[in-house]
Amino acid sequence: MDVSSDDAFSACLETLQNLGYKITASDQTYGYIEAKVRISMLSWGETINIQISSLSPTSCSLTMQSQSTWFTLVDWGKNDENLEAIHWRLSRLLQ
């Protein structure tokens, strides 16, 4: 991404909150954010992990992961849906 890791960190927090996800852990120094997605009709909830790594003062990389929690054997595409929603909102916010 062509933004600083600090700007990306702030944008990720805002995006997750706007999506209604609960931030359960965050550490700007290490570029780490964890959030929980509520239980729905299709799943017992998911855990979102984002790792932000600085590449230069004006660019960074993001690694995002969404994992089902509890006893979810099939995620019915919910994890992909979470990541797509985050990516879409984040890209709009950082335009």
Side-chain angles (χ1 to χ4, degrees):
M1 299 184 81
D2 291 330
V3 334
S4 71
S5 57
D6 288 340
D7 289 345
F9 188 87
S10 297
C12 286
L13 287 177
E14 184 177 336
T15 296
L16 293 169
Q17 291 168 340
N18 288 341
L19 287 167
Y21 301 164
K22 180 181 179 187
I23 308 296
T24 55
S26 66
D27 188 322
Q28 190 163 358
T29 302
Y30 293 105
Y32 177 76
I33 302 170
E34 179 183 275
K36 300 287 185 185
V37 181
R38 296 180 189 168
I39 294 172
S40 70
M41 294 287 287
L42 295 178
S43 81
W44 288 99
E46 297 84 38
T47 300
I48 307 290
N49 291 297
I50 300 176
Q51 184 67 52
I52 303 163
S53 302
S54 180
L55 301 175
S56 76
T58 59
S59 69
C60 64
S61 69
L62 264 67
T63 304
M64 298 187 293
Q65 182 180 31
S66 177
Q67 289 184 282
S68 301
T69 56
W70 291 76
F71 304 107
T72 305
L73 298 176
V74 178
D75 76 2
W76 305 105
K78 186 70 172 96
N79 288 307
D80 288 339
E81 183 181 302
N82 292 337
L83 295 177
E84 288 173 14
I86 294 166
H87 182 264
W88 188 85
R89 285 194 182 224
L90 193 56
S91 64
R92 299 302 178 273
L93 186 61
L94 292 173
Q95 282 186 8

